[in-house]
């Protein structure tokens, strides 16, 4: 039997297993969510440290103790932190909408002229969805091992005043696992922009989500911007979504005093205050940086074997195929599987037929268009270790069959 026929036979046999696995998103597994079950009993009372009743209205920028917690986690002054919502994506969306309708501090509303964002690729599909939904043009910027192609970024922002912002996932990026170097951070902070109201949407989603024992550190973008004379350039976003409970966490943004005042003004029209009960119980449960780091070590011990299983299956089944590669992330939630040109969509479709639902091919690019149809985002977190072993095998066999035409 030829090698081609052998892989076809293996794929057909795999389909008979009747798997039904959804790996389309980076969801924490039930075992990870169980690590935070103490949240249900973490609330000591309804009163805050200063005696405020958290059940009532108010607290538009978050409880002081919640702001202090995120200030410690993000290494910024508490006065430069807002805690609001249960998901950082909500805050990102609101910042974009506030800028479109009202402009950022001292500037005209973005909606008065065409708006463009730079998008390092492969990147986070939900960032791109916000731009597409709000009529913001997107430009792809290739990603290097230490961050986006900064020569291209600097050239584009210097010559095009319509470029008002850029999406950034600075550590363990989604899906490539890239960690931005200090040089890249400094260049982003100091670069000359044709748009005086340019903003970095700094999504620090995986700050504590290490897979290896080494904890990678990214330079402080707010400090770098302030030192470069651009104190209002960056807005940092974070949440507990993959620290505690993904659907019931707390989110925060950190920024310059001017940006915080701007946010507070406009957010005041959409809400009389956030869910302070949830903030209180998270403060009681997460406590401080050492507690968060200890919790994230437990997450790491659950996640790393799953990533190792995927990498082992890919090496065994795909390691000898020219043109195929995959990332070996040091943290985050994803592996980027890179196929030969034109094979990603077919691979995802074949995996679907075999009972494995993946993120659509092209999702890691604006408008869902991967120019070379090469990237497949692998999310190993949710299935069990046994299931992820099978899934990785099925994905590899699907790619093998896709390459046979």
């Amino acid at each position: 039997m030829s090698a081609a026929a052998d892989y076809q036979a293996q794929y057909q046999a795999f389909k008979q297993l009747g798997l039904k696995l959804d790996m389309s998103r980076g969801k924490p597994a039930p075992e990870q969510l169980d690590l935070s079950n103490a949240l249900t009993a973490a609330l000591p009372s309804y009163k805050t440290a200063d005696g405020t009743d958290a059940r009532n209205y108010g607290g538009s920028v978050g409880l002081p103790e919640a702001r202090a917690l995120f200030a410690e986690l993000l290494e910024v002054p508490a006065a430069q932190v807002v805690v609001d919502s249960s998901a950082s994506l909500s805050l990102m969306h609101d910042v974009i909408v506030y800028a479109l309708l009202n402009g950022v501090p001292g500037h005209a509303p973005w909606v008065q002229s065409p708006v463009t964002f730079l998008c390092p690729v492969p990147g986070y599909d939900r960032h791109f969805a916000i731009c597409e939904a709000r009529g913001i043009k997107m430009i792809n910027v290739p990603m290097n091992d230490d961050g986006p192609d900064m020569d291209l970024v600097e050239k584009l922002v210097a010559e095009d005043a319509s470029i008002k912002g850029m999406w950034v996932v600075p550590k363990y990026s989604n899906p490539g696992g890239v960690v931005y170097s200090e040089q890249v951070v400094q260049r982003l902070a100091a670069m000359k922009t044709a748009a005086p109201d340019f903003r970095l949407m700094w999504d620090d989603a995986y700050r504590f989500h290490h897979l290896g024992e080494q904890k990678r550190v990214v330079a402080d973008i707010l400090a770098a911007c302030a030192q470069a004379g651009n104190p209002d350039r960056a807005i940092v976003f974070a949440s507990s979504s993959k620290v505690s409970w993904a659907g019931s966490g707390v989110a925060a943004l950190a920024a310059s005093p001017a940006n915080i005042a701007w946010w507070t003004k406009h957010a005041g029209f959409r809400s009389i205050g956030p869910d302070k009960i949830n903030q209180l119980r998270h403060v009681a449960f997460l406590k401080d940086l050492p507690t968060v780091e200890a919790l994230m070590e437990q997450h790491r011990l659950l996640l790393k074997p799953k990533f190792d299983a995927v990498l082992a299956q890919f090496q065994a089944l795909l390691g000898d195929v020219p043109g195929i590669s995959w990332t070996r992330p040091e943290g985050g939630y994803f592996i980027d599987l890179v196929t030969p040109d034109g094979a990603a969509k077919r691979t995802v479709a074949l995996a679907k037929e075999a009972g494995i639902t993946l993120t659509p091919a092209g999702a890691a690019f604006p408008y869902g268009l991967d120019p070379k149809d090469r990237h497949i985002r692998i999310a190993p977190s949710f299935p069990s270790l046994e299931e992820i072993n099978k899934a990785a095998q099925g994905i590899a066999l699907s790619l093998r069959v896709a390459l046979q035409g």
Side-chain angles (χ1 to χ4, degrees):
M1 181 183 291
S2 69
D6 183 53
Y7 286 120
Q8 282 280 3
Q10 289 184 53
Y11 172 76
Q12 293 301 326
F14 188 92
K15 288 175 65 175
Q16 301 307 309
L17 296 176
L19 294 182
K20 292 184 179 180
L21 296 178
D22 188 346
M23 298 173 59
S24 59
R25 307 240 50 106
K27 293 170 59 175
E31 295 79 10
Q32 291 177 261
L33 300 176
D34 287 346
L35 295 174
S36 296
N37 281 347
L39 271 169
T40 59
L43 192 66
S45 76
Y46 299 123
K47 295 296 183 68
T48 67
D50 64 2
T52 300
D53 188 335
R55 298 171 296 178
N56 220 323
Y57 294 128
S60 61
V61 292
L63 296 178
E65 46 265 68
R67 299 176 77 190
L69 173 61
F70 273 97
E72 180 182 3
L73 299 181
L74 298 175
E75 300 181 273
V76 296
Q80 290 179 231
V81 176
V82 167
V83 182
D84 189 0
S85 183
S86 62
S88 55
L89 192 67
S90 300
L91 304 185
M92 296 175 216
H93 175 268
D94 287 352
V95 165
I96 295 292
V97 171
Y98 297 162
L100 286 168
L101 296 179
N102 306 288
V104 297
H107 297 279
W110 286 1
V111 76
Q112 292 181 0
S113 58
V115 179
T116 304
F117 260 54
L118 299 185
C119 301
V121 292
Y124 183 27
D125 56 335
R126 293 195 182 273
H127 288 164
F128 308 151
I130 290 175
C131 283
E132 188 169 4
R134 299 297 165 237
I136 296 173
K137 177 185 175 182
M138 293 175 278
I139 297 176
N140 293 1
V141 174
M143 188 79 86
N144 296 325
D145 290 340
D146 66 344
D149 179 342
M150 283 306 301
D151 290 341
L152 178 58
V153 170
E154 289 169 337
K155 177 179 184 298
L156 290 171
V157 298
E159 63 189 20
D160 186 351
S162 82
I163 299 176
K164 300 290 190 179
M166 176 175 171
W167 291 108
V168 182
V169 182
K171 183 189 287 190
Y172 310 138
S173 69
N174 175 357
V178 173
V179 179
Y180 283 38
S181 69
E182 182 171 359
Q183 182 184 35
V184 165
V185 173
Q186 296 296 335
R187 290 175 72 176
L188 287 169
M191 63 187 181
K192 304 299 182 183
T193 64
D197 48 353
F198 177 86
R199 289 295 183 269
L200 292 169
M201 298 290 285
W202 198 266
D203 185 358
D204 205 354
Y206 306 109
R207 187 179 183 92
F208 302 105
H209 301 69
H210 314 291
L211 287 170
E213 293 185 5
Q214 180 186 7
K215 299 176 180 178
R216 298 293 298 275
V217 176
V218 173
D220 182 343
I221 185 61
L222 293 180
C225 288
Q227 292 166 5
N230 300 308
D232 300 332
R233 174 168 290 182
I235 301 178
V236 177
F237 303 89
S239 78
S240 70
S241 290
K242 290 183 175 69
V243 176
S244 59
W245 288 337
S248 305
V250 286
L253 65 82
S256 68
N259 281 333
I260 293 296
W262 169 83
W263 164 271
T264 303
K265 174 183 176 181
H266 297 297
F269 295 112
R270 72 150 169 79
S271 173
I272 307 176
D275 181 349
K276 295 175 291 299
I277 295 295
N278 198 30
Q279 291 186 19
L280 266 183
R281 67 177 181 173
H282 272 82
V283 169
F285 176 65
L286 296 177
K287 293 183 176 66
D288 52 26
L289 177 59
T291 302
V292 169
E293 290 179 333
L295 176 60
M296 294 312 296
E297 174 63 11
Q298 295 180 68
H299 280 272
R300 186 184 79 84
L301 294 175
L302 290 171
L303 282 171
K304 190 173 187 302
K306 297 181 181 182
F307 278 77
D308 289 345
V310 173
L311 298 176
Q313 289 284 4
F314 284 178
Q315 184 60 46
L317 296 170
L318 301 172
D320 63 338
V321 185
I324 295 179
S325 63
W326 52 88
T327 56
R328 295 169 174 80
E330 298 177 73
Y333 260 62
F334 304 100
I335 294 169
D336 184 24
L337 174 61
V338 185
T339 76
D341 289 1
K345 287 183 179 178
R346 179 61 179 152
T347 299
V348 170
L350 287 167
K352 178 71 171 179
E353 291 178 25
I356 305 165
T357 301
L358 300 172
T359 306
F365 289 76
Y367 312 107
L369 300 175
D370 178 351
K372 296 184 178 180
D373 185 26
R374 299 188 66 199
H375 293 266
I376 301 173
R377 188 177 77 177
I378 309 298
S381 57
F382 187 76
S384 68
L385 182 57
E386 179 181 359
E387 289 171 334
I388 202 65
N389 257 304
K390 284 292 185 184
Q393 180 186 359
I395 294 165
L397 288 173
S398 298
L399 178 49
R400 282 282 194 173
V401 173
L403 294 178
Q404 293 170 6

